[in-house]
Amino acid sequence: PKYVYRFSEGDKDQKDLLGGKGANLAEMTRLDLPVPPGFTITTDACRAYLASGEVPEELSVQVTTALRGVEEELGRELGAAEDPLLVSVRSGAKFSMPGMMETVLNIGLNDVSVKGLAAASSDERFAWDSYRRLIQMFGKTVLDIDGDHFSDALDAKKDARGVSMDYELPVDALQELVEEYKAIVKEHAGIDFPQDPRSQLDMATEAVFRSWNTERAHIYRRREKIPHDLGTAVNVCTMVFGNMGETSGTGVCFTRDPSTGRTGVYGDYLVNAQGEDVVAGIRNTLSLADLERLDKASYDELRSIMRRLETHYRDLCDIEFTIERGKLWMLQTRVGKRTAAAAFRVATQLVDEKLITMDEALTRVSGEQLTQLMFPQFDDDSSRDLLTRAMAASPGAAVGYIAFDNDEAVSRAEKGDSVILVRRETNPDDLPGMVAAAGVLTARGGKTSHAAVVARGMGKTCVCGAEALEVDSAGKTLRIAGREEVLTSEDIIAIDGTTGEVFLGEVGVVDSPVMTYLRRGLDEALKAAGDEDTRELVTAVDRLMRHADAVRRLEVRANADTPDDARHAIHRGAQGVGLCRTEHMFLGERKQFVQNLILASSDAEREAALAALLPLQKGDFIQMFETMNGKPMTVRLIDPPLHEFLPDLTELSVKVAVDRERGELDPADEELLAVVRKSHEANPMLGLRGVRLLLTMPGLIELQVRAIAEAAVERLKAGGDPHPEIMIPLIGSVRELQLARERVEHVLQEVSQASGYALDFPVGCMIELPRAAVTAAHVAEEADFFSFGTNDLTQTTWGFSRDDVESSFVGRYIDDGIFGISPFETIDVDGVGGMVSLGVEGGRSTKPKMKMGVCGEHGGDPESIIFFHRVGLDYVSCSPFRVPVARLEAGRAAV
Ligand code: ADP
Ligand code: MG
């Protein structure tokens, strides 16, 4: 196989093979932008390596050919004694994984070529600094040596020479440092630092392959739902140097502001520095405006390239560039990560600039991003104690205890505390802590620092570069310049990722502007908006939501059991209730009546129990119908296992035994115990519940339907417009539905005759057992509609309990790649989804126009919604909070 592609051979659509970085380097090369020559080793090669543990032989040969090509083009040789060619070895998977994989710069330097570089650049200091960087990076990432050994040696050297900055070290100090670094390598890796340039290249390549499987790479992929079997590509790229003095430098820029979405370019620049210095956020940076002052020609060229890239990719791009002695080089571009707010604004800006259509704009935003915009913000009226103000790196409002390291963040979060991870700066090792924390605060680094980039990607609130902070991670204390107090892990702070403010103590939170929009409409939200950014944001959200509503085929309903929930759902755009559970109507104080019903030994007792329940249920339905006036409302008849209405077997046994001992036994308790014992089930979720309960418990189904019917009549009398749809749960065979349906219709008829109102409500069923899906053509004969209960259907198709997912093997299965993601979160398209397709096809073969929907968690899950759209459902029903997300995703599914 062809394992190696020159940059001039690929293009941006080859991300699977070349990784994102490689594909985009190829694209820029194709566009004739100034990209240093190089080549990409494919993800195929990585997968072959991971499968066999060895580098394929063809790869070595192909690397030689590609390398010779680059050498010929430049007239220099890798690691030669004179004017050596140096390269970087850079990882790059299909999906960008910031900071996950390793990059090694300055490959090709050794004891000889360092002198050649010094001569060629006429800069001895630069050459030795590059060499010590190579050993440091190589030692850390390729040989797995703890980076502290190198940074400690560097710090010690600076102390010894009485300087504070790296670049102040003179040549002889750097030469000493190189020797010390080599000794560190020897001591900790047990080998000499490799002097052979090609070995350096091969070892680094292998290290990139291996880094695909590090723990932090796994964590990141799990979180971002990136499959574990893609592998990474490796890019070998001619080195260009931003650290060749004052006319050199390196930077990162964006074609629009990735944090707010404001138009206008945006970036950070560091003079006399190499790439890693910016990304690591170790020094504070200059802006692009500063670059314009320093080097107008390079700045102008960069601006024109930025515009070109944005037009070419038709999206916000981010760019890494380096200027070597006044010559601009492009090192990376990609469609840039952005905050949720920026995503909505940029999408509509591009529509207005006629670069994309509204349909395309919809694909540029996601339900997940909308969710982030719905999160609350700090209340302007809440009292607050401002500690400091720094860079607003990733929006949101987070409040929590200070956590000084990963372990602390993870363990406290597990205990249920909200924590803010506070670090001087973060690096990829901090990922677990960042995942666990509610927000991240760093003392150093700009908007393109590791903390900022990763937090934005995760939608996590982040404030960075708060220089007033003195973080002592070892001592677990935090001081703030100009303040007395010493904060510890017992103190609460609040960070505002939108303004960059850091507060001491708790701060109250309020609705976000987008939430205000969803609750109260565009006009109100515009009125409430404090600034132009906010107005543009809510306008963008409104435009995209309206477009989604216009194009989507799926109707969006909500799962709501109470009038409050139903109201919330309607405000967020729900077109009906897809699931109104009735079990809560039997809980609390009413449980007693249900117990009476279960225990009834005569018809008279049973009727008394039913009579007591009827007005209560009817009252509930009247309220729901009032709220849902004119909109459909699917009422699911009682579903949970019988035992949920009875006392716990063990507790009651103990009570009875104790009471008997004391001679205080209540005969009623004894009787109850007998019933509880008799109805005890080993697997209640697979037991007497749903339609089985309705068919075996006399009077229950009649009670519920009567309550629905009489409530509807009341509303009709009052001029209301109730639309109940009666739904029978846990159907396995058409016969069950037939029997249940007869009884439902009997009651409807009775109430209809008594009241004089026609009550021809649809009667349908849930499809949540494989048998129902497989026999759907028959079941449909008795059903007016189907609602797929994908939670139970997942449980019954896979045969494992959904109540035990958290604690059981599912986590392990995800780690081992048996599940990509929990099938309770995103529908398992092949298996459970196959059941849904069977159900849809079967049902429609009997009744082509039959209404079908889904209720359950999957109804609000973006990926699942796309599947439900494809399989031909008519609606999804989800929790009220997720209704807007479902509307947007249903729109996205349709374009
Ligand atoms: P990441 O994916 O973390 O951005 P990169 O491979 O882009 O990793 O490299 C890290 C840093 O090294 C970047 O700042 C990049 O610009 C710089 N860099 C990579 N290759 C070269 C090169 N050939 N010449 C100069 N700088 C480079
Ligand atoms: Mg990069």
Side-chain angles (χ1 to χ4, degrees):
K2 183 167 164 65
Y3 282 136
V4 178
Y5 286 69
R6 290 283 306 269
F7 289 166
S8 49
E9 289 179 290
D11 66 51
K12 72 175 183 341
D13 299 321
Q14 289 178 297
K15 291 202 176 78
D16 284 328
L17 190 64
L18 305 178
K21 199 178 287 169
N24 287 324
L25 280 166
E27 188 76 10
M28 288 198 291
T29 306
R30 246 170 33 101
L31 290 176
D32 262 336
L33 301 184
V35 177
F39 53 89
T40 302
I41 300 170
T42 64
T43 54
D44 277 346
C46 176
R47 283 191 297 263
Y49 171 84
L50 292 175
S52 70
E54 268 169 54
V55 174
E57 202 186 346
E58 304 103 291
L59 175 58
S60 305
V61 173
Q62 292 180 26
V63 165
T64 307
T65 315
L67 185 61
R68 293 265 166 102
V70 174
E71 289 175 338
E72 275 155 30
E73 185 178 339
L74 297 172
R76 289 151 64 200
E77 274 176 42
L78 181 69
E82 273 173 46
D83 193 10
L85 168 70
L86 305 182
V87 296
S88 62
V89 170
R90 319 165 63 185
S91 64
K94 175 175 180 184
F95 302 103
S96 109
M97 296 170 59
M100 284 302 96
M101 315 292 285
E102 315 292 4
T103 297
V104 184
L105 303 180
N106 307 336
I107 295 251
L109 280 177
N110 57 25
D111 294 351
V112 179
S113 62
V114 66
K115 291 175 188 145
L117 181 65
S121 63
S122 337
D123 188 342
E124 237 189 324
R125 215 208 75 85
F126 151 75
W128 285 93
D129 187 48
S130 301
Y131 192 19
R132 73 93 192 153
R133 284 176 193 249
L134 167 65
I135 306 173
Q136 183 162 359
M137 268 187 260
F138 196 93
K140 207 178 144 190
T141 64
V142 181
L143 303 174
D144 255 343
I145 299 169
D146 183 349
D148 286 349
H149 295 303
F150 297 106
S151 37
D152 289 350
L154 180 61
D155 286 342
K157 189 62 66 192
K158 284 192 283 191
D159 282 350
R161 296 301 181 109
V163 299
S164 59
M165 305 305 270
D166 300 4
Y167 58 77
E168 292 168 326
L169 284 173
V171 176
D172 65 311
L174 290 166
Q175 287 168 337
E176 286 167 22
L177 205 51
V178 162
E179 289 312 312
E180 289 164 27
Y181 276 9
K182 285 198 229 161
I184 292 172
V185 168
K186 180 91 192 175
E187 183 187 342
H188 295 277
I191 58 165
D192 287 319
F193 174 75
Q195 290 289 315
D196 173 38
R198 178 61 193 264
S199 304
Q200 291 174 2
L201 175 59
D202 291 342
M203 288 170 79
T205 303
E206 225 182 298
V208 172
F209 287 162
R210 279 199 307 269
S211 73
W212 177 257
N213 275 334
T214 55
E215 192 188 332
R216 60 177 201 246
H218 268 270
I219 294 175
Y220 187 84
R221 288 199 294 269
R222 254 176 87 167
R223 190 180 162 103
E224 298 296 315
K225 302 179 189 166
I226 297 172
H228 292 303
D229 58 2
L230 298 179
T232 179
V234 180
N235 302 289
V236 177
C237 180
T238 302
M239 282 303 300
V240 291
F241 295 99
N243 51 340
M244 272 196 187
E246 294 304 305
T247 55
S248 303
T250 184
V252 182
C253 57
F254 297 86
T255 55
R256 297 172 195 237
D257 186 335
S259 125
T260 61
R262 255 173 241 160
T263 50
V265 297
Y266 174 87
D268 295 330
Y269 184 68
L270 262 184
V271 177
N272 197 7
Q274 218 171 27
E276 297 286 357
D277 301 341
V278 193
V279 180
I282 288 169
R283 285 197 244 154
N284 289 314
T285 49
L286 304 178
S287 69
L288 284 187
D290 298 322
L291 174 62
E292 183 175 16
R293 264 192 304 103
L294 291 171
D295 182 350
K296 178 92 167 73
S298 297
Y299 172 82
D300 288 343
E301 190 184 354
L302 181 64
R303 284 296 300 256
S304 94
I305 289 174
M306 283 165 94
R307 188 173 163 89
R308 180 119 183 257
L309 286 174
E310 192 166 87
T311 312
H312 185 69
Y313 285 87
R314 302 186 312 136
D315 204 349
L316 180 161
C317 294
D318 73 26
I319 292 162
E320 288 178 10
F321 66 95
T322 280
I323 298 174
E324 179 181 310
R325 293 188 170 158
K327 162 88 182 105
L328 174 70
W329 292 99
M330 304 303 294
L331 289 174
Q332 185 176 327
T333 192
R334 67 187 160 197
V335 167
K337 297 212 170 193
R338 64 205 73 180
T339 62
F344 278 84
R345 286 178 65 179
V346 169
T348 50
Q349 284 162 9
L350 294 174
V351 170
D352 294 340
E353 293 167 27
K354 304 212 165 20
L355 278 172
I356 61 174
T357 63
M358 263 320 257
D359 278 0
E360 280 175 292
L362 257 193
T363 66
R364 302 286 178 88
V365 295
S366 70
E368 219 33 67
Q369 287 167 332
L370 183 63
T371 313
Q372 282 172 28
L373 293 173
M374 290 159 64
F375 286 131
Q377 302 183 337
F378 287 133
D379 179 1
D380 284 340
D381 297 332
S382 171
S383 76
R384 51 182 78 189
D385 176 4
L386 183 68
L387 282 176
T388 182
R389 195 187 303 267
M391 241 164 298
S394 178
V399 184
Y401 289 101
I402 299 174
F404 289 95
D405 57 40
N406 266 317
D407 290 346
E408 195 175 9
V410 171
S411 65
R412 291 196 70 162
E414 272 169 6
K415 273 191 269 157
D417 285 343
S418 175
V419 296
I420 308 289
L421 182 67
V422 180
R423 305 282 287 160
R424 266 169 58 151
E425 64 221 8
T426 64
N427 63 55
D429 296 330
D430 290 318
L431 198 67
M434 295 181 72
V435 171
V440 180
L441 172 63
T442 68
R444 301 224 236 153
K447 278 198 195 179
T448 50
S449 67
H450 175 267
V453 172
V454 175
R456 272 201 298 277
M458 298 197 293
K460 193 134 286 192
T461 302
C462 176
V463 171
C464 65
E467 289 173 48
L469 303 188
E470 292 163 34
V471 187
D472 176 0
S473 309
K476 299 207 174 206
T477 59
L478 173 65
R479 285 167 204 273
I480 296 91
R483 305 227 351 178
E484 292 296 305
E485 57 270 80
V486 179
L487 306 183
T488 69
S489 313
E490 290 313 306
D491 288 294
I492 290 181
I493 56 171
I495 60 172
D496 187 330
T498 314
T499 62
E501 290 163 311
V502 182
F503 306 103
L504 179 59
E506 276 184 73
V507 180
V509 286
V510 292
D511 274 356
S512 69
V514 168
M515 198 45 140
T516 306
Y517 159 74
L518 290 169
R519 275 203 230 275
R520 299 197 270 137
L522 182 60
D523 289 348
E524 294 286 317
L526 287 176
K527 252 184 259 162
D531 54 39
E532 197 41 53
D533 282 329
T534 312
R535 278 189 287 275
E536 192 188 318
L537 172 62
V538 290
T539 308
V541 172
D542 176 63
R543 285 172 67 185
L544 287 162
M545 290 302 286
R546 279 192 291 128
H547 190 67
D549 286 342
V551 297
R552 70 188 157 91
R553 192 203 70 238
L554 283 172
E555 221 179 86
V556 176
R557 297 192 185 184
N559 302 343
D561 309 343
T562 64
D564 256 357
D565 277 355
R567 249 188 306 276
H568 286 314
I570 292 174
H571 286 154
R572 288 170 180 65
Q575 293 156 288
V577 163
L579 176 64
C580 172
R581 301 179 188 86
T582 54
E583 32 274 13
H584 80 273
M585 300 177 178
F586 291 104
L587 293 176
E589 295 159 8
R590 304 177 184 183
K591 210 163 159 177
Q592 187 57 51
F593 297 119
V594 182
Q595 275 187 27
N596 295 348
L597 186 63
I598 297 169
L599 295 172
S601 52
S602 66
D603 285 355
E605 276 178 39
R606 178 174 312 117
E607 251 134 54
L610 289 170
L613 277 165
L614 182 64
L616 300 172
Q617 286 242 314
K618 187 168 147 187
D620 294 334
F621 287 126
I622 290 176
Q623 284 186 10
M624 286 299 281
F625 291 150
E626 223 174 323
T627 315
M628 295 307 299
N629 201 35
K631 296 193 169 65
M633 173 173 132
T634 310
V635 182
R636 181 179 71 186
L637 301 187
I638 196 162
D639 181 51
L642 190 59
H643 75 95
E644 288 193 13
F645 302 102
L646 293 172
D648 179 72
L649 176 61
T650 320
E651 277 170 29
L652 187 62
S653 308
V654 171
K655 180 173 189 300
V656 167
V658 170
D659 288 354
R660 181 178 291 128
E661 196 78 358
R662 291 188 185 146
E664 294 169 2
L665 181 59
D666 180 344
D669 278 349
E670 204 172 9
E671 205 182 314
L672 182 61
L673 179 61
V675 174
V676 172
R677 195 168 273 145
K678 204 170 132 226
S679 59
H680 180 76
E681 293 175 304
N683 278 319
M685 290 309 280
L686 298 177
L688 186 59
R689 49 175 286 225
V691 70
R692 304 163 190 168
L693 185 62
L694 292 168
L695 291 182
T696 52
M697 172 82 66
L700 192 55
I701 201 169
E702 284 80 4
L703 157 75
Q704 289 206 284
V705 176
R706 183 169 295 278
I708 294 167
E710 290 187 358
V713 167
E714 293 266 308
R715 288 301 306 151
L716 287 166
K717 280 188 187 151
D721 187 15
H723 285 276
E725 300 173 343
I726 296 171
M727 180 158 80
I728 319 284
L730 215 74
I731 290 290
S733 92
V734 64
R735 183 72 185 137
E736 287 172 310
L737 183 56
Q738 194 182 31
L739 290 172
R741 185 178 185 123
E742 274 167 17
R743 289 169 61 181
V744 169
E745 283 182 343
H746 183 74
V747 177
L748 288 180
Q749 242 164 36
E750 265 182 23
V751 178
S752 175
Q753 269 162 15
S755 65
Y757 285 95
L759 302 176
D760 39 10
F761 304 140
V763 181
C765 68
M766 306 223 14
I767 302 289
E768 50 190 337
L769 293 176
R771 194 179 191 289
V774 172
T775 62
H778 292 300
V779 177
E781 288 162 14
E782 296 293 332
D784 298 325
F785 62 89
F786 280 170
S787 174
F788 291 87
T790 52
N791 295 343
D792 259 311
L793 192 56
T794 298
Q795 157 167 283
T796 52
T797 300
W798 277 94
F800 51 60
S801 160
R802 66 193 242 211
D803 298 310
D804 300 322
V805 256
E806 294 300 329
S807 55
S808 75
F809 57 93
V810 173
R812 179 65 195 275
Y813 265 38
I814 290 173
D815 286 343
D816 292 349
I818 299 172
F819 296 151
I821 177 175
S822 164
F824 290 102
E825 220 173 292
T826 291
I827 192 158
D828 150 39
V829 171
D830 296 337
V832 181
M835 284 291 166
V836 175
S837 319
L838 268 184
V840 173
E841 279 163 32
R844 295 245 162 93
S845 72
T846 305
K847 293 185 179 163
K849 295 224 162 118
M850 189 169 169
K851 186 127 183 147
M852 296 191 190
V854 64
C855 57
E857 310 304 323
H858 295 117
D861 170 65
E863 266 175 70
S864 309
I865 290 173
I866 292 178
F867 170 74
F868 297 138
H869 171 86
R870 289 213 188 105
V871 81
L873 295 187
D874 301 298
Y875 68 88
V876 294
S877 187
C878 58
S879 73
F881 184 78
R882 295 200 67 87
V883 163
V885 175
R887 285 164 55 203
L888 186 68
E889 288 292 342
R892 277 161 47 87
V895 296

